[in-house]
Amino acid sequence: MASSMKAVTFTEHGGTEVLKYTDIDRPTAGEGQVVIKNEYAGVNFIDTYHRSGLYPRSTFPAGLGEEGAGTVVEVGPGVTGLAVGDSVGYVSRSTLGGSFAEFTAAQAGLVTKLPQGVSTQAAAAVLLQGLTALSMVKTTCQVAAGDWVLVHAAAGGTGQLLCQLCSDIGAKVIGTTSTPEKAEVAKRCGCSDVILYSHEDVVQRVMQLTNGKGVKFVYDGVGKSTFDASLKCLDYLGWLICFGNASGKPEPFDVLRLAEKSARLMRPSLFSTLAAEPGLTASLTAELLQLVQQGVVVPEVHKVYPLSAVAQAQQDLTGRKTTGKLLLRPDTLG
Ligand code: NDP
């Protein structure tokens, strides 16, 4: 087998021009790791934060990509339950190589053997955003039937899955999107009402829809541009779950502002949640993939890009041109 491979790397923070599609050494499986030949890698907003330096890298050259799916080609010492030839999906803290590469060395505990009926494409499309959504709906917060929920960027990758999960529970889901076309997508994912947040007054509309009460949960992955309205949309004892920064990170915040509604502010991270509870990765992933098999969670693939077109994929994502999931596929796989 070749000792080098194609991968995406960067040696300084910046725009998409810093991304290089290049040859690096193929990884080998260390203690507790397996090497996966990637068929698909999932593109996530977090990759753009690593590239830009919002979440800075401490060492260069750095790789990108925290999610993928393919076939196990090597099993490291101490790994049980996985074998060469297994079809798997994984999430992974990105390292040199990351998932934006032909091969990835991933921690076995974050690798899942795919059940019958779940393709590598579906796994790469749903794992990271799906685990994020599921953990925020059922683990770090518990949404219940009848709760009012507001989901920002409801047609995005994570947004769609949040809407599907909350509406399946029986919550009343309000979405926000930037365009009427995206609003239709959000409605298909379970939103009863969608607010065009670039034109409409979000707080006023939410209060109209909830008879002046506000919502119990706001899922806000947009950040800077929505934070203020999100806080004002809450019901008494409501939760503002501020889980991302698509428009930039929110401004520093006066904690006294929570007092008006005795509100709760949470800033969850998927990887800190998974690390805190042994066994959670396996149980949440099993639950997520079962929901995919049942058709409750339906990942929508926006587009599959060749790995060498990673810059275009990131530009489309940050340019608000996409709905659902963007995937990369090693060029050699066509
Ligand atoms: P999305 O597919 O949701 O894309 C981002 C969407 O945000 C856009 O489509 C756009 O929708 C909306 N948006 C609003 N303002 C802006 C802006 N100024 N620039 C770009 N987009 C904007 O991406 P992901 O699902 O990958 O990620 C969504 C959020 O979830 C991100 O903030 C990400 O960091 C976060 N996240 C957090 C995790 C965690 O563990 N905390 C894990 C996974 C994701 P529209 O056009 O409708 O406004």
Side-chain angles (χ1 to χ4, degrees), residues 43-46 49 128-129 132 153 156-159 176-178 182 197 221-222 225 243-247 267-271 317-318 320 322 324:
V43 177
N44 291 288
F45 226 94
I46 193 170
Y49 308 148
L128 193 144
Q129 293 169 343
T132 302
T158 312
T176 63
T177 64
S178 61
K182 288 187 175 188
Y197 56 0
V222 172
S225 66
F243 69 99
N245 334 280
S247 66
R267 205 314 177 179
S269 139
L270 173 63
F271 285 100
L317 183 64
T318 57
R320 305 172 79 164
T322 67

Side-chain angles (χ1 to χ4, degrees), residues 178-201:
S178 61
T179 68
E181 293 75 23
K182 288 187 175 188
E184 288 309 309
V185 174
K187 282 185 184 159
R188 285 202 297 275
C189 291
C191 291
S192 54
D193 300 275
V194 180
I195 303 168
L196 297 179
Y197 56 0
S198 24
H199 307 92
E200 296 183 85
D201 184 326

Side-chain angles (χ1 to χ4, degrees), residues 45-57:
F45 226 94
I46 193 170
D47 313 319
T48 71
Y49 308 148
H50 288 307
R51 187 210 71 224
S52 69
L54 179 65
Y55 298 171
R57 281 299 166 79

